[in-house]
Amino acid sequence: YKMTDKKDLKIALVGNPNTGKTSLFNQLTGLNQHVGNYPGVTVDKKQGACKLSNNRNATIIDLPGTYSINPNTIDESIVLTTLIDKDKPDYPDVVVVVAEVDNLKRNLFLFSQIRDLEIPTILAINMSDQMKRKGITIDIDLLAKELDTDVVLISARKNIGVDKLKQVLAEKKNTTTKNSFEKRMDFGFFKRIAQELPHIPLYKAWLLITQCNDLSAYTKKEQETIELFREDEDKLAKFQHKETVLRYVEINDILKKTYNVNLKNATTLRANLDKIFTHKIFGYVIFALILMLIFQGIFNFASVPMDYIDTAFADLSNWTKAQLPAGMFTSLLTEGIIPGIGGILIFVPQIIILFLFVAILEETGYMSRVVFLMDKIMRNFGMSGKSVVPLISGTACAIPAIMASRNISGFKERLITILVTPFITCSARIPVYAIIISLVIPEKTYYGFNLQGLVLMLLYLIGFGAAITSAYLLNKILKVKGKSYFVIEMPNYKLPSLKNLGITIFEKTKAFVFGAGKIILAISIVLWFLASNGPSNSFGNAEEIVLKEVKLDHRKTSPKQIQNNIASYKLEHSYIGILGKTIEPAIKPLGYDWKIGVALISSFAAREVFVGTLATIYSVENNDDTTGIKKRMQAEINPETKKPRFDLPTGLSLLVFYVFAMQCMGTLAIVKRETKTWKWPLYQLFGMTSLAYLLAWITFKMLS
């Protein structure tokens, strides 16, 4: 097989997890990379552009990490499907297998499989800067001769040897590959495969028989032959095992000649750190302290930039309103688009801080220890050890928390984590909780603990309990196809690479802003339209009707109050107001009126909108004056019972509703993006809202 002489090469990066493949991809492509999707699966496809030399460019494809070309997960199946079919658009001109100095034996197993597919293959041995410290020596020239390929020593994190790798790739005009599969598997069974499938290389035919479901590219006769070979499952399993053993025999022979480790020179720091970080008691204590640091960081460090973004967009909206003439376009801009964009960007500080922490944990090698530590506990609830980080970071915001679930390898565990994370009490619920608790819970102290504070803590605990319980139930009822393997490798501890951290944060933030952002902005504009328009009779004549009522009332009313009354009347008779009146019969059993109904609908954009919507409806002079809102809410009377509208039954019913309801379109948007389908977010929306309705109704009935 000859590598083409065309200028643009297609290069696939393949390697085991934790070999530094992503670091090499980042060094080769920098920010010239984009993330798409492989057709039909939910795995991210990373591609980037790279200049190899003055006259040669390349497209680099970063294939998912895999231990073998025989797939156990969706990620691993991508490697096989990309490398087995020459007619696929992603089929590479050359494969760079990224190995690491510590685990060369296991890395060469994958290398030997890819080489047998007869694709030009180069071996890049990473982390070469650590060889001396670990007492490792490698005879590179002899290894290259034994493997019959180019071998390059690199350190992707320190950018050592990357230029040499580019040079090898650029100058490689003609690459032959050594296929030792036929010689190694010289049995009658394989001779029969070669005779009956003469147009398919032997190793490829073997993979089609044992691994591939899609045979559409082959003739009917070839498909029938492959199906016949598949019938003898015992023989296939026996030869798969034999293939693995024989590959390792060959690898061992090569490494005896080329690879040497002097353990006296190696350090025992890693072993000592592992004893501490995976200790059955101290391991959990250290992890709890780290989570507390992340949790505090997301709240403390993000609050200032979030407030700044919030204020900046409010000021921009007011400035735009002052500069442009009043009208539909100005209203759309100042009440729909600008707040919509603000609603997207306000989450960016939390996303940056969360992914900075998560990337540091990944880069240092600590995350693998956490997974090992937590996996046993989390599996009882159908989740993975990696589910811990999304669940904890959900207390800040479910959006970056759900994005953090990408680290979970098993599809079922990842899906359950995504589905239950919104139960965790996020910071957006706090404005709702704070005002309702202050209305319905007396300000008393028991044994030095504030009763209102205890209720707030109880709401957090209920949310966490709901997440764990629903995860347990979903694990029992979800019939999601896919095998669940727990393979955990403890990578070496290392200092995080600033370049990798920067690229990770940039990519994740960009994915959120352009992915979920489009949906958030679209729904913000729809909500603005529904609140700013209504049937012409009542809505269009709101000013005349309100002024007529003011004249008939004879009481002195300030111009500001008149404007608020007009705004309130308009909202009541807008499409969203009509919607509130329409759903009133459905929410009345929970103790709510149409005004609370409107607030529930509008707070779907973001839970904290609940307070602002009620402020508008209750004609408070200043939307940001929470005292004013509180007084208005206290003064609001239920016309049927003549008692305060926000009494204990209604207040607690609302609190319970907000604990369980999926009142966040941003979360739905990100769930859709992460699962690549509307099925799961719709299940979430209807499932959580139904549960919230039922429990809020029970709460109201029990206390009424």
Side-chain angles (χ1 to χ4, degrees):
Y1 181 89
K2 290 189 177 183
M3 206 163 73
T4 54
D5 289 341
K6 62 184 179 183
K7 283 190 178 181
D8 273 14
L9 279 180
K10 246 183 273 176
I11 300 167
L13 297 186
V14 181
N16 291 178
N18 299 310
T19 52
K21 184 170 59 68
T22 301
S23 291
L24 177 60
F25 178 71
N26 288 340
Q27 288 290 7
L28 291 170
T29 62
L31 291 176
N32 299 318
Q33 53 181 259
H34 61 273
V35 179
N37 281 110
Y38 291 97
V41 291
T42 60
V43 180
D44 280 343
K45 173 183 177 179
K46 288 173 77 178
Q47 273 187 226
C50 172
K51 194 173 175 65
L52 297 176
S53 64
N54 289 335
N55 63 344
R56 199 148 214 195
N57 296 323
T59 300
I60 313 287
I61 305 161
D62 183 16
L63 291 174
T66 181
Y67 291 102
S68 158
I69 210 165
N70 306 334
N72 289 327
T73 67
I74 298 171
D75 291 35
E76 291 175 351
S77 68
I78 293 297
V79 179
L80 177 63
T81 52
T82 304
L83 301 182
I84 204 167
D85 192 346
K86 287 183 183 180
D87 298 324
K88 288 270 173 76
D90 281 341
Y91 187 79
D93 299 309
V94 62
V95 173
V96 176
V97 177
V98 185
E100 59 156 343
V101 290
D102 262 355
N103 293 306
L104 199 53
K105 182 176 172 179
R106 197 193 58 225
N107 298 161
L108 283 176
F109 179 79
L110 177 63
F111 171 85
S112 76
Q113 289 181 312
I114 291 169
R115 184 190 57 188
D116 285 349
L117 279 171
E118 300 179 22
I119 306 173
T121 309
I122 290 171
L123 182 67
I125 303 177
N126 195 15
M127 304 179 197
S128 60
D129 56 309
Q130 297 177 22
M131 284 170 62
K132 192 174 179 184
R133 185 167 59 83
K134 291 177 177 177
I136 296 170
T137 51
I138 303 172
D139 186 337
I140 293 296
D141 294 336
L142 184 57
L143 183 62
K145 188 181 170 188
E146 289 286 334
L147 295 175
D148 193 22
T149 191
D150 290 285
V151 179
V152 184
L153 272 178
I154 63 165
S155 171
R157 296 161 53 75
K158 295 192 175 178
N159 203 14
I160 299 166
V162 177
D163 287 339
K164 174 82 192 305
L165 178 63
K166 284 184 185 177
Q167 188 187 334
V168 170
L169 286 163
E171 291 175 359
K172 207 76 176 169
K173 291 279 195 303
N174 204 337
T175 305
T176 55
T177 57
K178 174 183 170 187
N179 182 341
S180 56
F181 185 77
E182 291 178 33
K183 186 177 72 177
R184 194 186 306 116
M185 307 300 283
D186 188 22
F187 307 111
F189 180 74
F190 286 92
K191 285 177 179 170
R192 196 154 61 84
I193 293 175
Q195 283 168 0
E196 296 193 28
L197 294 166
H199 302 299
I200 304 172
L202 182 60
Y203 184 54
K204 186 175 175 181
W206 173 238
L207 288 174
L208 290 172
I209 292 164
T210 55
Q211 306 296 336
C212 293
N213 295 322
D214 181 13
L215 301 173
S216 56
Y218 300 92
T219 64
K220 195 174 181 190
K221 188 171 184 290
E222 285 170 337
Q223 288 181 31
E224 286 169 359
T225 306
I226 289 166
E227 291 296 344
L228 275 173
F229 276 114
R230 284 179 178 177
E231 285 174 8
D232 196 344
E233 288 182 15
D234 290 342
K235 192 174 270 188
L236 295 183
K238 184 182 106 179
F239 280 123
Q240 275 187 298
H241 176 69
K242 202 164 189 100
E243 179 201 344
T244 302
V245 171
L246 290 174
R247 281 191 192 281
Y248 275 119
V249 167
E250 189 181 310
I251 290 164
N252 284 336
D253 288 344
I254 292 169
L255 290 181
K256 272 178 197 170
K257 304 175 199 171
T258 59
Y259 186 86
N260 186 45
V261 183
N262 183 350
L263 289 173
K264 288 177 186 173
N265 299 338
T267 177
T268 57
L269 177 65
R270 172 182 159 169
N272 292 333
L273 285 174
D274 274 349
K275 280 179 192 170
I276 299 165
F277 287 132
T278 60
H279 191 272
K280 58 184 179 183
I281 297 168
F282 297 122
Y284 293 103
V285 173
I286 292 165
F287 181 49
L289 291 172
I290 289 170
L291 284 178
M292 202 179 289
L293 176 68
I294 294 173
F295 179 51
Q296 290 300 311
I298 290 168
F299 266 104
N300 297 343
F301 305 146
S303 60
V304 174
M306 284 177 83
D307 290 345
Y308 177 77
I309 291 167
D310 205 17
T311 308
F313 275 90
D315 291 346
L316 177 62
S317 193
N318 290 331
W319 181 83
T320 309
K321 202 176 279 185
Q323 297 300 312
L324 296 177
M328 185 70 85
F329 176 72
T330 304
S331 178
L332 169 64
L333 207 58
T334 57
E335 293 165 23
I337 293 172
I338 292 173
I341 295 169
I344 301 159
L345 296 183
I346 197 165
F347 293 118
V348 167
Q350 287 185 330
I351 287 170
I352 289 173
I353 290 165
L354 174 70
F355 279 113
L356 173 65
F357 278 116
V358 172
I360 289 170
L361 295 183
E362 284 275 15
E363 282 267 307
T364 53
Y366 177 70
M367 188 67 90
S368 297
R369 277 79 186 171
V370 172
V371 175
F372 173 76
L373 200 63
M374 298 301 296
D375 193 78
K376 204 170 180 182
I377 298 170
M378 299 307 284
R379 280 199 181 274
N380 295 326
F381 299 99
M383 291 185 282
S384 149
K386 290 186 178 181
S387 303
V388 173
V389 175
L391 290 179
I392 297 297
S393 55
T395 51
C397 178
I399 291 170
I402 286 167
M403 288 168 73
S405 70
R406 291 174 185 176
N407 294 318
I408 301 165
S409 50
F411 176 68
K412 186 175 179 181
E413 289 93 335
R414 180 170 176 250
L415 180 64
I416 290 174
T417 307
I418 287 171
L419 293 178
V420 305
T421 295
F423 281 120
I424 303 293
T425 294
C426 64
S427 54
R429 287 177 170 106
I430 292 171
V432 183
Y433 288 175
I435 198 156
I436 294 173
I437 287 172
S438 67
L439 281 173
V440 301
I441 305 295
E443 207 170 332
K444 290 181 181 175
T445 305
Y446 293 99
Y447 304 106
F449 291 100
N450 180 289
L451 181 61
Q452 293 181 337
L454 289 172
V455 171
L456 184 61
M457 189 180 78
L458 181 65
L459 293 171
Y460 270 87
L461 292 175
I462 292 170
F464 185 74
I468 290 293
T469 308
S470 53
Y472 181 79
L473 295 172
L474 283 169
N475 187 39
K476 297 290 180 194
I477 59 173
L478 267 186
K479 299 284 181 273
V480 178
K481 285 184 182 176
K483 310 166 193 170
S484 178
Y485 290 86
F486 181 58
V487 179
I488 181 68
E489 181 186 348
M490 301 293 191
N492 289 316
Y493 293 101
K494 48 189 180 278
L495 287 171
S497 148
L498 292 177
K499 183 170 186 174
N500 282 359
L501 293 180
I503 289 174
T504 299
I505 291 162
F506 176 79
E507 286 297 325
K508 306 274 188 190
T509 308
K510 188 175 82 173
F512 165 70
V513 171
F514 293 103
K518 287 183 283 193
I519 300 172
I520 294 174
L521 184 59
I523 298 180
S524 296
I525 292 169
V526 170
L527 283 171
W528 163 81
F529 177 83
L530 294 175
S532 304
N533 295 277
S536 55
N537 290 344
S538 301
F539 186 86
N541 302 322
E543 202 164 329
E544 291 171 34
I545 295 163
V546 171
L547 289 172
K548 197 174 180 182
E549 283 175 3
V550 168
K551 281 176 187 172
L552 290 170
D553 201 5
H554 298 302
R555 280 185 291 186
K556 192 176 179 185
T557 312
S558 69
K560 179 75 176 171
Q561 189 61 46
I562 290 169
Q563 286 305 311
N564 282 330
N565 287 350
I566 292 168
S568 178
Y569 187 88
K570 273 190 162 184
L571 191 74
E572 187 178 340
H573 293 86
S574 68
Y575 293 119
I576 208 165
I578 293 164
L579 190 58
K581 291 276 192 184
T582 307
I583 67 162
E584 191 172 38
I587 58 173
K588 209 171 182 182
L590 311 183
Y592 313 157
D593 62 356
W594 76 268
K595 296 174 185 178
I596 296 173
V598 171
L600 289 178
I601 294 166
S602 61
S603 70
F604 176 65
R607 292 179 180 97
E608 57 269 50
V609 173
F610 179 84
V611 181
T613 307
L614 286 179
T616 309
I617 294 171
Y618 295 144
S619 309
V620 177
E621 289 198 358
N622 181 356
N623 277 16
D624 299 320
D625 181 2
T626 51
T627 314
I629 300 164
K630 189 175 164 185
K631 282 182 179 172
R632 277 282 181 176
M633 289 170 80
Q634 278 173 334
E636 187 72 7
I637 299 294
N638 183 336
E640 290 179 14
T641 62
K642 306 299 180 195
K643 290 178 182 175
R645 164 64 66 192
F646 292 94
D647 55 5
L648 187 68
T650 305
L652 290 182
S653 169
L654 264 171
L655 289 175
V656 167
F657 185 86
Y658 271 93
V659 167
F660 293 97
M662 170 55 95
Q663 287 290 104
C664 182
M665 67 179 185
T667 303
L668 288 173
I670 212 74
V671 171
K672 191 265 171 189
R673 188 184 182 282
E674 292 300 306
T675 59
K676 311 291 191 285
T677 170
W678 276 110
K679 180 173 105 172
W680 299 113
L682 288 174
Y683 276 146
Q684 255 182 331
L685 175 63
F686 292 110
M688 289 177 69
T689 306
S690 302
L691 181 64
Y693 185 94
L694 177 67
L695 294 175
W697 176 76
I698 291 169
T699 304
F700 182 72
K701 287 296 175 193
M702 282 173 64
L703 296 170
S704 293

